[in-house]
Amino acid sequence: MIAPGLLVILSPLLIGFFFGPKVLAGFLPGAIVSGVMMATSAANTGGAWDNAKKYIESGALVDENGNKIGKGSDVHKAAVVGDTVGDPLKDTSGPSLNILMKIMAIISLIFGSKMAQFHPVQ
């Protein structure tokens, strides 16, 4: 977790100090938009895998012959594997991206005046 944390903290600092506040002002919206898309996708994907397992466990899934597919079947075992992947996506990965976007914006605001001293706006 050190590398992702450093990426979030150092990205705005390096971009702001090396390239200036205008480049940072373009970087932040791109990071926010891509972060929102990734968070939404992660949350929806995790929820879909969780709901698929619940749907199979409810006995509502039937095969082409009309037989109910439930717990203990190969389909259920595959859904359990999917749910194992989906739970961290919907519970941790998706929501944590919101915090990362906020940290990038806050770091930019805190160090914005120092960045402007290195790159005066013309």
Side-chain angles (χ1 to χ4, degrees):
M1 294 306 297
I2 293 173
L6 287 175
L7 180 69
V8 169
I9 293 170
L10 294 179
S11 292
L13 291 175
L14 294 175
I15 289 171
F17 282 116
F18 285 117
F19 300 109
K22 288 183 179 180
V23 175
L24 181 61
F27 169 75
L28 287 176
I32 290 171
V33 168
S34 61
V36 166
M37 294 302 296
M38 286 179 60
T40 303
S41 175
N44 287 338
T45 301
W49 274 333
D50 187 41
N51 288 339
K53 184 187 75 143
K54 289 177 184 175
Y55 184 75
I56 293 167
E57 289 175 349
S58 72
L61 184 65
V62 294
D63 63 7
E64 61 274 357
N65 298 328
N67 301 322
K68 287 189 175 186
I69 300 173
K71 284 187 175 182
S73 66
D74 287 338
V75 174
H76 180 257
K77 290 176 186 174
V80 168
V81 171
D83 185 47
T84 303
V85 174
D87 277 342
L89 277 174
K90 72 178 173 58
D91 295 335
T92 58
S93 298
S96 69
L97 286 170
N98 181 30
I99 295 166
L100 296 180
M101 292 181 287
K102 287 181 181 180
I103 288 173
M104 290 176 75
I106 289 171
I107 294 285
S108 300
L109 286 172
I110 290 172
F111 291 99
S113 62
K114 293 292 182 190
M115 293 173 194
Q117 287 176 355
F118 282 99
H119 299 276
V121 179
Q122 299 167 352

